[in-house]
Amino acid sequence: QVQLVESGGGLVQPGGSLRLSCAASGSAFGLYAMRWYCQVPGKQRDLVAAISSGGTTNYANSVKGRFAISRDNAKKMVYLQMNSLKPEDTAVYYCNAVLGAQNSWGQGTQVTVSS
């Protein structure tokens, strides 16, 4: 099972950009489907973006055209490029790895969009 560590969160002004990174350790990283979720206090964790082991991507409607997920299997990394950020993007962002019954989460990284 992989272990995940997110980084790259922070405070950014509306319209700005951030790139989140997720570093994975463990074997067979290239076989995992990787996802980014976001969560605000008191609400459920929502799927933001996903990338399959083959590189197919999917996005929540709210982030289409603004966010891009990518992966580097050689480095065991997943990224979330976040552009044109809005205050409503403020949340804790979590990296998730799924392979069959294996389901791993990182500790999360805070993204705050505010002027």
Side-chain angles (χ1 to χ4, degrees):
Q1 193 157 350
V2 295
Q3 291 77 48
L4 305 172
V5 178
E6 302 97 334
S7 61
L11 173 64
V12 63
Q13 293 187 342
S17 298
L18 281 175
R19 188 176 83 152
L20 305 184
S21 299
C22 174
S25 60
S27 60
F29 171 78
L31 299 180
Y32 283 77
M34 300 300 299
R35 302 162 181 171
W36 286 97
Y37 285 79
C38 69
Q39 187 172 28
V40 297
K43 295 193 175 181
Q44 67 180 19
R45 198 168 290 187
D46 292 327
L47 180 63
V48 175
I51 186 166
S52 72
S53 58
T56 301
T57 58
N58 286 286
Y59 298 93
N61 287 334
S62 60
V63 306
K64 282 181 180 177
R66 299 189 299 122
F67 290 10
I69 188 171
S70 60
R71 65 190 297 162
D72 184 333
N73 289 339
K75 295 182 179 179
K76 298 184 181 180
M77 295 290 295
V78 178
Y79 305 99
L80 185 68
Q81 179 65 44
M82 311 166 69
N83 299 325
S84 302
L85 282 160
K86 304 175 181 180
E88 51 263 43
D89 296 319
T90 295
V92 178
Y93 284 74
Y94 295 90
C95 183
N96 171 247
V98 177
L99 178 61
Q102 297 181 39
N103 193 350
S104 301
W105 293 90
Q107 83 289 351
T109 186
Q110 176 71 46
V111 171
T112 302
V113 185
S114 175
S115 55

